[in-house]
Structure formats: structure tokens, C-alpha cells
Amino acid sequence: METQRRPTSAGGRPLRADAERTMTAILEAAERTLSRDPAATMEQIAEAAGVARTTVHRRFATREALIDALAMWATQRFAAAVDAGHPETAPPLVALYQTTANVLSVKTSWGFAMSRATSANPEVARVHGDVRDKCERLFRRAQASGVLRADVDIPWTRRVYYALIHEAAQNSDEKDPDALATLVVDTLLRGAGTPNPDRL
């Protein structure tokens, strides 16, 4: 289950409850609207959020500022989703499945925002670096416990895992995060080959 992150003001301060609800409504509407039409205007986003156009402009000076805030919020949700899988403390195989499902939930729900979260933003880069380090530590624990082979290259395995998650998130036929996580982890751990291809 994904952990919720509360939106903050431009200065990083927690918002009042009513302001938080408005900000959340705007960001969620922005994701829905921009996913359908990446060229959607601030006015269309305001309409989808059920707020006045001036309310959106009061919080975001420009359309680019809104998209930047949306990308940052999605990045924070991504980090929270990883943490909610307890990658540092849960049994490695359990943590691998749960973290994968949590991440896929964010990626399928916040696809537009995640696609705009670039490493050019120092905070986005920091979050992704932190997630990368947690992933590698999880894989090393999985290796030590026998879930991964002793001879696998951990950085390479992590990159393959990332690629599988990316492909799963693009799967238009299956949207259930748990089913997609099973597909990703099963492919990572078992691959597509037979047990002894060298004997065929």
C-alpha cells in the first residue's frame, strides 16, 4: 500500500488542511488532464479540479511551475512507496514484491508526472539516488539470503529490474499493481528460459 505524502507550499512548509485539500485537488486534476492532453491549459486543469482559474494561478505562477510541482509531488510519493515496502527490514523476497507493487501503483497512477521528474531537479536527483541505494541494499540482502545467485552482478541486476518495472508500467492490458509486481519479480528471478538450456 502506497504511503501518502502531504503537499507543501513552495517554501516547503506544511499547508493548512483546506489549502492542502485544494492543492491535492489541483495536482490530481493536473495528472488526469495532462495524461489525456499534455498541451492542456491551466484553465482546463482548474475546471477539472473544480476550482477557479485564479486559485490555480495564485498557487502556481506559470504552467511550467505547476508541472514542476506535480513532478516533485509524484517523486515524493514514489519515495514513500519504496519506504512502505520496508526494503531495509522486511524479508528480502517479501520486500521485493511489496516494494515493486507499491512503485508500480505510483507509476501507473502518476505516469505523466513521473515522466516529467528529471534529474535536472536536484531534489528529484537526490530522491532517486536514495531509492537506488535502498534497492541495491535490498538486492544484496536478497543475495545473502539465497534469493539471488551468489554470482550475479548487483548493479546490473538493479538496472534490469528498473527496465522490467518501466515495461510493466507501460502494460495497457494489466493495471493491477500486484499482478504486475508478480510478473516483474517472476521474470527477474526466473527469466524466460528452461532450467537447463545447456542440456537441450
Side-chain angles (χ1 to χ4, degrees):
M1 181 64 66
E2 173 195 343
T3 300
Q4 298 293 324
R5 281 288 177 95
R6 297 177 61 183
T8 57
S9 69
R13 297 181 303 276
L15 297 170
R16 297 189 323 271
D18 58 337
E20 181 182 336
R21 284 192 295 271
T22 300
M23 183 74 81
T24 299
I26 292 169
L27 292 173
E28 289 177 344
E31 174 63 33
R32 292 193 307 272
T33 305
L34 293 166
S35 291
R36 290 192 301 269
D37 177 12
T41 64
M42 296 275 272
E43 289 75 12
Q44 290 171 306
I45 292 168
E47 182 179 356
V51 301
R53 177 179 56 82
T54 53
T55 300
V56 177
H57 281 285
R58 191 162 56 246
R59 286 166 171 77
F60 304 102
T62 64
R63 185 175 179 279
E64 290 70 27
L66 171 56
I67 291 175
D68 287 347
L70 178 63
M72 191 64 249
W73 194 42
T75 299
Q76 291 168 344
R77 293 170 76 92
F78 167 65
V82 171
D83 289 342
H86 305 290
E88 314 254 29
T89 57
L93 189 55
V94 173
L96 185 58
Y97 272 106
Q98 191 59 63
T99 301
T100 303
N102 292 353
V103 166
L104 283 166
S105 179
V106 173
K107 284 186 169 287
T108 55
S109 299
W110 298 90
F112 176 87
M114 290 298 294
S115 73
R116 297 306 190 275
T118 71
S119 57
N121 180 320
E123 180 60 13
V124 169
R126 184 197 66 75
V127 169
H128 281 275
D130 186 49
V131 167
R132 181 194 62 235
D133 293 344
K134 288 177 181 177
C135 182
E136 291 212 8
R137 288 195 295 271
L138 170 58
F139 278 20
R140 293 193 188 284
R141 289 204 303 124
Q143 190 175 50
S145 67
V147 172
L148 294 175
R149 293 198 325 266
D151 62 336
V152 299
D153 180 88
I154 294 298
W156 169 252
T157 303
R158 177 185 57 78
R159 291 196 294 272
V160 170
Y161 172 65
Y162 278 16
L164 289 171
I165 286 179
H166 174 76
E167 288 303 317
Q170 307 304 310
N171 189 338
S172 59
D173 298 324
E174 177 60 73
K175 293 299 183 183
D176 177 59
D178 292 327
L180 289 172
T182 298
L183 179 63
V184 167
V185 175
D186 184 66
T187 303
L188 179 71
L189 298 182
R190 296 177 178 83
T194 56
N196 298 292
D198 55 321
R199 297 181 186 176
L200 298 177

